[in-house]
């Protein structure tokens, strides 16, 4: 790849096709001679890569529940499930981005391409100028959210084909 943006674009398109979200988990860089910050390497992971967070919120702060202290039967409050899917790329001597490590086997969850439209990053891609304008016009006209949603669904030939919810 010629740049890290090309790697990210490629991997996000792959993730959308396979039905999972992508997070840029880590990257490192250096300052070049012209004082600009250059990236040296980067890692992208599945959006469910972190550990499960079972803490609940009390007055806006996270706290440990009694059930967590006794056993791990607390309510799961995050979508994270320690999924190992990732891609790692770095710059070689020719100043090209090379993919060094790839893990493609999801664990603890099963992404499906048909549910790709429910992932927030993919929904944002579907929000083109036309849809934003319709939302703004409907809101300024005083329409209810359900009415705006139904209007957009009619244009897209039904709710199942709508990327936004």
């Amino acid at each position: 790849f010629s740049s890290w943006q090309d790697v990210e674009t490629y991997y996000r398109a792959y993730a959308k096709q396979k039905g999972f979200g992508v997070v840029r988990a880590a990257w490192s860089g250096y300052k070049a001679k012209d004082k600009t910050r250059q990236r040296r390497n980067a890692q992208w992971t599945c959006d469910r890569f972190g550990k499960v967070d079972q803490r609940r919120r009390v007055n806006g702060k996270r706290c440990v529940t009694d059930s967590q202290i006794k056993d791990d039967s607390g309510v799961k409050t995050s979508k994270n499930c320690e999924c190992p899917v990732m891609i790692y790329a770095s710059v070689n001597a020719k100043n090209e981005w090379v993919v060094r490590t790839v893990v493609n086997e999801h664990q603890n969850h099963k992404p499906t391409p048909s549910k790709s439209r429910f992932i927030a990053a993919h929904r944002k891609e579907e929000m083109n100028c036309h849809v934003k304008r319709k939302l703004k016009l409907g809101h300024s006209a005083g329409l209810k959210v359900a009415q705006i949603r139904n209007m957009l669904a009619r244009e897209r030939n039904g709710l199942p084909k709508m990327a936004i919810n």
Side-chain angles (χ1 to χ4, degrees), residues 67-78:
S67 62
Q68 277 182 284
I69 295 168
K70 295 175 185 168
D71 61 353
D72 282 341
S73 65
V75 177
K76 182 177 174 183
T77 60
S78 70

Side-chain angles (χ1 to χ4, degrees), residues 82-95:
E82 299 183 25
C83 181
V85 169
M86 59 84 76
I87 184 172
Y88 173 80
S90 64
V91 178
N92 65 4
K94 297 177 185 176
N95 207 19

Side-chain angles (χ1 to χ4, degrees), residues 84-108:
V85 169
M86 59 84 76
I87 184 172
Y88 173 80
S90 64
V91 178
N92 65 4
K94 297 177 185 176
N95 207 19
E96 299 170 334
W97 280 79
V98 179
V99 175
R100 308 280 184 192
T101 309
V102 177
V103 178
N104 279 332
E105 297 297 321
H106 292 272
Q107 291 179 3
N108 305 324

